Amino acid sequence: MSLRKILLAATVLALPVAANAQPISGLYVGAGVGANLRQNSDATLSNNMLGPRGGTAEFKYGFVGTLSLGYGFGNGVRAEIEGSYRNNDVDKVSGFGLPSNNRTLGSVTTYGVMANALYDIDLGPTIPLTPYVGVGAGYQWVDNDIRGNVGVPGTVSLNGTDGRFAYQAIAGIAFNVAEIPGLAVTTEYRFMGTLDNEVGARRDFSAPGKAELDNFNHSLMIGLRYAFGVTPPPPVVAPAPPPAAAPAVARTYLVFFDFDRADLTDRA
Protein backbone atom coordinates (compact mmCIF):
# COMPACT_ATOMS: atom_id res chain seq x y z
CA MET A 1 0.00 0.00 0.00
CA SER A 2 1.53 3.31 -1.11
CA LEU A 3 1.70 6.46 1.00
CA ARG A 4 -0.46 8.27 -1.58
CA LYS A 5 -3.27 5.70 -1.25
CA ILE A 6 -3.21 5.90 2.55
CA LEU A 7 -3.46 9.70 2.54
CA LEU A 8 -6.29 9.56 0.00
CA ALA A 9 -8.23 7.06 2.10
CA ALA A 10 -7.78 9.20 5.20
CA THR A 11 -9.10 12.25 3.34
CA VAL A 12 -12.18 10.42 2.08
CA LEU A 13 -13.00 9.08 5.54
CA ALA A 14 -12.65 12.52 7.08
CA LEU A 15 -15.06 14.25 4.67
CA PRO A 16 -18.37 13.46 6.47
CA VAL A 17 -17.19 14.62 9.90
CA ALA A 18 -18.11 17.94 11.45
CA ALA A 19 -18.82 17.47 15.14
CA ASN A 20 -17.51 19.66 17.89
CA ALA A 21 -14.40 18.34 19.62
CA GLN A 22 -14.94 17.04 23.14
CA PRO A 23 -12.33 15.65 25.57
CA ILE A 24 -12.70 11.90 26.15
CA SER A 25 -13.97 11.01 29.59
CA GLY A 26 -14.24 7.29 30.32
CA LEU A 27 -13.62 4.11 28.35
CA TYR A 28 -12.91 3.99 24.63
CA VAL A 29 -11.83 1.43 22.03
CA GLY A 30 -9.83 1.93 18.86
CA ALA A 31 -8.46 0.12 15.83
CA GLY A 32 -6.12 1.09 13.02
CA VAL A 33 -4.52 -0.31 9.87
CA GLY A 34 -1.91 1.01 7.49
CA ALA A 35 1.51 0.70 5.91
CA ASN A 36 4.66 -0.21 7.82
CA LEU A 37 8.19 0.59 6.71
CA ARG A 38 10.86 -1.35 8.54
CA GLN A 39 14.25 0.32 8.38
CA ASN A 40 17.22 -1.59 7.01
CA SER A 41 18.43 -3.97 9.71
CA ASP A 42 22.14 -4.29 10.37
CA ALA A 43 23.14 -7.81 11.39
CA THR A 44 26.30 -9.05 13.07
CA LEU A 45 27.06 -12.78 13.03
CA SER A 46 28.79 -14.51 15.91
CA ASN A 47 32.50 -15.35 15.70
CA ASN A 48 32.02 -19.04 14.89
CA MET A 49 30.49 -18.19 11.49
CA LEU A 50 32.75 -18.58 8.45
CA GLY A 51 33.34 -15.61 6.17
CA PRO A 52 32.45 -11.92 6.65
CA ARG A 53 30.17 -11.49 9.63
CA GLY A 54 28.48 -8.13 8.87
CA GLY A 55 25.55 -7.46 6.57
CA THR A 56 22.24 -5.66 6.06
CA ALA A 57 18.68 -6.80 5.40
CA GLU A 58 16.36 -4.46 3.47
CA PHE A 59 12.57 -4.74 3.51
CA LYS A 60 9.54 -3.93 1.35
CA TYR A 61 6.58 -1.89 2.55
CA GLY A 62 4.39 -4.04 4.77
CA PHE A 63 1.24 -4.09 6.88
CA VAL A 64 0.49 -2.83 10.38
CA GLY A 65 -2.65 -3.29 12.48
CA THR A 66 -3.50 -2.26 16.05
CA LEU A 67 -6.31 -2.72 18.59
CA SER A 68 -6.53 -0.62 21.74
CA LEU A 69 -8.57 -0.21 24.92
CA GLY A 70 -8.17 3.05 26.79
CA TYR A 71 -9.51 5.50 29.33
CA GLY A 72 -9.81 9.27 29.03
CA PHE A 73 -9.60 11.45 32.14
CA GLY A 74 -11.63 14.35 30.72
CA ASN A 75 -8.69 16.78 30.72
CA GLY A 76 -7.00 15.65 27.49
CA VAL A 77 -4.91 12.91 29.11
CA ARG A 78 -5.53 9.31 28.00
CA ALA A 79 -4.00 5.94 28.90
CA GLU A 80 -4.41 2.79 26.83
CA ILE A 81 -3.31 -0.79 26.29
CA GLU A 82 -2.57 -1.72 22.67
CA GLY A 83 -1.95 -4.91 20.76
CA SER A 84 -0.09 -4.57 17.45
CA TYR A 85 0.99 -6.65 14.45
CA ARG A 86 3.51 -5.76 11.71
CA ASN A 87 4.78 -7.78 8.76
CA ASN A 88 7.36 -6.95 6.09
CA ASP A 89 8.76 -9.12 3.29
CA VAL A 90 12.51 -9.16 2.74
CA ASP A 91 13.63 -7.14 -0.28
CA LYS A 92 17.40 -7.59 -0.29
CA VAL A 93 20.25 -9.03 1.77
CA SER A 94 23.69 -7.50 1.27
CA GLY A 95 27.07 -7.96 2.91
CA PHE A 96 28.16 -11.23 4.52
CA GLY A 97 30.39 -11.70 1.46
CA LEU A 98 27.33 -12.36 -0.75
CA PRO A 99 27.17 -11.28 -4.42
CA SER A 100 25.19 -8.10 -5.06
CA ASN A 101 22.61 -9.90 -7.21
CA ASN A 102 21.93 -12.72 -4.76
CA ARG A 103 18.41 -14.14 -4.46
CA THR A 104 16.59 -13.34 -1.20
CA LEU A 105 13.51 -14.77 0.49
CA GLY A 106 11.70 -14.41 3.77
CA SER A 107 9.80 -11.97 5.97
CA VAL A 108 9.84 -10.44 9.45
CA THR A 109 6.81 -10.29 11.75
CA THR A 110 6.64 -8.13 14.87
CA TYR A 111 3.80 -8.44 17.38
CA GLY A 112 3.23 -7.59 21.02
CA VAL A 113 1.61 -5.37 23.65
CA MET A 114 2.24 -1.70 24.44
CA ALA A 115 1.09 0.67 27.20
CA ASN A 116 0.59 4.19 25.87
CA ALA A 117 0.11 7.62 27.43
CA LEU A 118 -1.44 10.24 25.15
CA TYR A 119 -2.46 13.89 25.30
CA ASP A 120 -5.22 15.50 23.20
CA ILE A 121 -4.51 19.09 22.16
CA ASP A 122 -7.67 21.20 22.58
CA LEU A 123 -8.24 23.57 19.64
CA GLY A 124 -11.56 24.88 20.94
CA PRO A 125 -15.15 23.59 21.07
CA THR A 126 -16.04 24.70 17.53
CA ILE A 127 -13.19 22.91 15.73
CA PRO A 128 -14.09 19.32 14.73
CA LEU A 129 -10.57 17.87 14.94
CA THR A 130 -8.18 17.11 17.79
CA PRO A 131 -4.42 16.63 17.33
CA TYR A 132 -2.74 14.31 19.84
CA VAL A 133 0.70 13.05 20.77
CA GLY A 134 1.85 10.11 22.86
CA VAL A 135 4.56 7.72 23.93
CA GLY A 136 4.48 4.04 24.72
CA ALA A 137 6.49 1.18 26.16
CA GLY A 138 5.96 -2.55 26.12
CA TYR A 139 7.19 -5.91 24.84
CA GLN A 140 7.41 -7.10 21.23
CA TRP A 141 8.25 -10.46 19.75
CA VAL A 142 10.09 -10.46 16.42
CA ASP A 143 9.87 -13.54 14.17
CA ASN A 144 12.75 -13.35 11.68
CA ASP A 145 12.99 -15.48 8.54
CA ILE A 146 15.70 -13.90 6.38
CA ARG A 147 17.62 -15.82 3.70
CA GLY A 148 20.22 -14.50 1.27
CA ASN A 149 21.91 -16.17 -1.70
CA VAL A 150 19.16 -18.81 -1.71
CA GLY A 151 19.95 -22.00 -3.65
CA VAL A 152 23.66 -21.22 -3.96
CA PRO A 153 26.53 -22.46 -1.77
CA GLY A 154 27.25 -19.81 0.84
CA THR A 155 23.58 -19.18 1.68
CA VAL A 156 23.11 -17.04 4.80
CA SER A 157 19.98 -17.56 6.90
CA LEU A 158 18.83 -15.57 9.94
CA ASN A 159 15.80 -17.01 11.64
CA GLY A 160 14.13 -17.37 15.01
CA THR A 161 11.75 -15.54 17.34
CA ASP A 162 13.03 -13.24 20.07
CA GLY A 163 11.13 -10.98 22.50
CA ARG A 164 12.53 -7.61 23.57
CA PHE A 165 11.60 -4.36 25.32
CA ALA A 166 9.88 -1.98 22.87
CA TYR A 167 9.15 1.75 22.77
CA GLN A 168 7.22 4.06 20.47
CA ALA A 169 6.23 7.66 19.72
CA ILE A 170 2.78 8.61 18.36
CA ALA A 171 1.42 11.70 16.56
CA GLY A 172 -2.10 11.84 15.14
CA ILE A 173 -5.30 13.75 14.44
CA ALA A 174 -8.84 12.66 15.38
CA PHE A 175 -11.79 13.86 13.24
CA ASN A 176 -15.07 13.68 15.17
CA VAL A 177 -18.09 12.21 13.35
CA ALA A 178 -21.13 14.47 13.72
CA GLU A 179 -23.76 11.77 13.16
CA ILE A 180 -22.43 9.37 15.85
CA PRO A 181 -21.40 11.01 19.16
CA GLY A 182 -18.18 9.44 20.47
CA LEU A 183 -16.98 8.15 17.08
CA ALA A 184 -13.84 9.60 15.49
CA VAL A 185 -11.74 8.86 12.41
CA THR A 186 -8.02 8.89 13.25
CA THR A 187 -4.85 9.31 11.20
CA GLU A 188 -1.52 8.48 12.86
CA TYR A 189 2.21 8.29 12.40
CA ARG A 190 4.09 5.93 14.73
CA PHE A 191 7.75 5.18 15.27
CA MET A 192 8.30 1.86 17.05
CA GLY A 193 11.62 0.24 17.94
CA THR A 194 12.91 -2.64 20.04
CA LEU A 195 16.19 -3.58 21.58
CA ASP A 196 18.35 -5.68 19.26
CA ASN A 197 16.97 -9.17 18.58
CA GLU A 198 19.18 -12.24 18.91
CA VAL A 199 18.31 -14.91 16.35
CA GLY A 200 19.79 -18.08 14.98
CA ALA A 201 22.23 -17.69 12.07
CA ARG A 202 23.77 -20.15 9.70
CA ARG A 203 26.07 -20.08 6.70
CA ASP A 204 26.53 -23.17 4.58
CA PHE A 205 29.43 -25.36 5.71
CA SER A 206 29.59 -23.74 9.15
CA ALA A 207 28.15 -24.58 12.54
CA PRO A 208 24.95 -22.80 13.63
CA GLY A 209 25.60 -19.48 15.32
CA LYS A 210 23.85 -16.33 16.46
CA ALA A 211 23.17 -12.91 14.99
CA GLU A 212 21.93 -9.58 16.36
CA LEU A 213 19.44 -7.55 14.34
CA ASP A 214 18.13 -4.05 15.03
CA ASN A 215 14.42 -3.32 14.58
CA PHE A 216 13.00 0.15 13.80
CA ASN A 217 9.57 0.72 12.22
CA HIS A 218 7.74 3.71 10.72
CA SER A 219 3.95 3.29 10.45
CA LEU A 220 1.30 5.46 8.79
CA MET A 221 -2.23 4.45 9.79
CA ILE A 222 -5.92 5.28 9.53
CA GLY A 223 -8.46 4.03 12.05
CA LEU A 224 -11.61 4.43 14.09
CA ARG A 225 -12.04 5.27 17.78
CA TYR A 226 -15.24 5.09 19.81
CA ALA A 227 -15.64 6.68 23.24
CA PHE A 228 -18.46 5.32 25.39
CA GLY A 229 -20.92 7.59 27.19
CA VAL A 230 -20.55 10.63 24.93
CA THR A 231 -23.84 12.51 24.56
CA PRO A 232 -24.61 15.03 21.84
CA PRO A 233 -24.48 18.67 22.90
CA PRO A 234 -27.91 20.23 23.58
CA PRO A 235 -29.38 22.06 20.59
CA VAL A 236 -28.92 25.80 20.51
CA VAL A 237 -32.25 27.47 21.28
CA ALA A 238 -32.83 30.82 19.63
CA PRO A 239 -33.88 33.58 22.04
CA ALA A 240 -37.61 34.29 22.10
CA PRO A 241 -38.66 37.46 20.27
CA PRO A 242 -39.79 40.38 22.46
CA PRO A 243 -43.56 40.59 23.03
CA ALA A 244 -45.44 42.71 20.56
CA ALA A 245 -46.76 46.07 21.75
CA ALA A 246 -50.41 46.04 22.81
CA PRO A 247 -52.72 47.66 20.23
CA ALA A 248 -54.13 51.06 21.09
CA VAL A 249 -57.63 50.96 22.62
CA ALA A 250 -60.14 53.44 21.31
CA ARG A 251 -61.71 55.57 24.06
CA THR A 252 -64.88 57.65 24.08
CA TYR A 253 -65.22 61.00 25.87
CA LEU A 254 -68.30 63.03 26.81
CA VAL A 255 -68.00 66.82 26.75
CA PHE A 256 -70.66 68.98 28.44
CA PHE A 257 -71.62 72.57 27.56
CA ASP A 258 -74.15 74.95 29.05
CA PHE A 259 -77.14 75.63 26.89
CA ASP A 260 -76.29 77.82 23.98
CA ARG A 261 -72.73 78.32 25.24
CA ALA A 262 -69.26 77.17 24.04
CA ASP A 263 -67.57 77.17 27.45
CA LEU A 264 -66.67 73.82 29.02
CA THR A 265 -68.37 73.07 32.27
CA ASP A 266 -66.39 71.97 35.35
CA ARG A 267 -67.57 68.38 34.86
CA ALA A 268 -66.29 68.39 31.27
Side-chain angles (χ1 to χ4, degrees):
M1 183 182 295
S2 67
L3 178 60
R4 180 182 300 175
K5 292 180 180 179
I6 295 171
L7 293 176
L8 178 61
T11 303
V12 172
L13 286 174
L15 287 178
V17 300
N20 291 341
Q22 300 180 42
I24 295 179
S25 180
L27 286 174
Y28 67 88
V29 293
V33 296
N36 186 70
L37 172 63
R38 175 166 169 154
Q39 286 185 201
N40 298 347
S41 293
D42 294 327
T44 303
L45 306 182
S46 59
N47 291 334
N48 65 321
M49 303 292 291
L50 298 176
R53 293 190 294 272
T56 301
E58 300 177 23
F59 304 92
K60 301 176 183 178
Y61 280 96
F63 168 81
V64 57
T66 63
L67 292 173
S68 59
L69 173 66
Y71 188 89
F73 296 94
N75 57 359
V77 177
R78 294 185 283 122
E80 66 180 28
I81 298 295
E82 165 210 309
S84 64
Y85 176 91
R86 292 171 171 84
N87 180 265
N88 292 84
D89 288 335
V90 178
D91 184 43
K92 181 180 179 181
V93 177
S94 58
F96 308 113
L98 302 178
S100 59
N101 60 345
N102 74 90
R103 181 184 177 214
T104 59
L105 290 175
S107 64
V108 174
T109 301
T110 303
Y111 54 91
V113 179
M114 305 292 287
N116 302 321
L118 302 108
Y119 181 73
D120 295 324
I121 302 172
D122 185 8
L123 298 181
T126 61
I127 299 179
L129 57 87
T130 304
Y132 57 91
V133 294
V135 294
Y139 199 82
Q140 296 282 324
W141 289 267
V142 185
D143 183 6
N144 295 275
D145 178 17
I146 302 172
R147 288 163 284 164
N149 212 31
V150 177
V152 179
T155 297
V156 171
S157 62
L158 310 172
N159 54 62
T161 301
D162 187 33
R164 295 287 170 170
F165 171 79
Y167 49 90
Q168 68 178 348
I170 304 168
I173 300 176
F175 301 85
N176 300 280
V177 178
E179 292 77 8
I180 307 177
L183 184 65
V185 178
T186 61
T187 62
E188 286 186 355
Y189 164 77
R190 297 190 179 206
F191 170 80
M192 194 274 289
T194 69
L195 300 182
D196 288 353
N197 302 123
E198 186 177 272
V199 298
R202 187 180 183 94
R203 188 192 298 271
D204 288 352
F205 314 118
S206 67
K210 295 289 184 181
E212 288 189 350
L213 284 165
D214 53 30
N215 178 24
F216 302 109
N217 299 266
H218 302 270
S219 303
L220 189 61
M221 304 168 57
I222 58 175
L224 293 175
R225 187 182 68 203
Y226 181 75
F228 297 96
V230 176
T231 57
V236 178
V237 179
V249 179
R251 303 185 67 179
T252 303
Y253 298 91
L254 295 176
V255 180
F256 297 92
F257 300 90
D258 289 336
F259 178 75
D260 199 24
R261 299 290 297 275
D263 298 330
L264 292 175
T265 65
D266 293 340
R267 183 181 179 188

